[in-house]
Amino acid sequence: MLLSIYVAGMLHSSRQGAVFFGAIALLYGVLFSLLAAEDYALLMGATLVFAVLSLIMMLTRKFNWYGNNED
C-alpha cells in the first residue's frame, strides 16, 4: 500500500498508483500460492515462467532490435 501511494505521488496520478497496487497485489498473490502449494511449487513456477516468457516473446516479436530500416 505504501509503495502504491508513493508511485501515485511521484507520477501525480492516483489511477497509476491503483494500477501499480493491483499489479503488486497480483504478484504477491501468485507468490503466496506458489509457497502455499509445496508439492506443486516447482511445476507452478516453471509454468508461470514459461507463460511470462511466452508473453514477452509475443509482445516483442515485431520490435526491430538492431535498428535496421528494412521494410
Side-chain angles (χ1 to χ4, degrees), residues 5-45:
I5 293 170
Y6 178 77
V7 168
M10 184 178 61
L11 298 176
H12 304 292
S13 172
S14 59
R15 182 174 181 262
Q16 290 180 342
V19 169
F20 183 78
F21 176 77
I24 291 295
L26 180 68
L27 178 64
Y28 282 160
V30 168
L31 290 176
F32 178 77
S33 66
L34 278 172
L35 291 173
E38 296 173 9
D39 295 335
Y40 296 105
L42 180 61
L43 177 64
M44 289 173 40

Side-chain angles (χ1 to χ4, degrees), residues 18-69:
V19 169
F20 183 78
F21 176 77
I24 291 295
L26 180 68
L27 178 64
Y28 282 160
V30 168
L31 290 176
F32 178 77
S33 66
L34 278 172
L35 291 173
E38 296 173 9
D39 295 335
Y40 296 105
L42 180 61
L43 177 64
M44 289 173 40
T47 304
L48 180 66
V49 169
F50 177 75
V52 169
L53 182 60
S54 299
L55 178 68
I56 291 171
M57 287 174 65
M58 294 303 289
L59 292 174
T60 61
R61 68 177 178 248
K62 294 185 180 182
F63 187 78
N64 188 359
W65 293 102
Y66 299 107
N68 298 339
N69 290 329

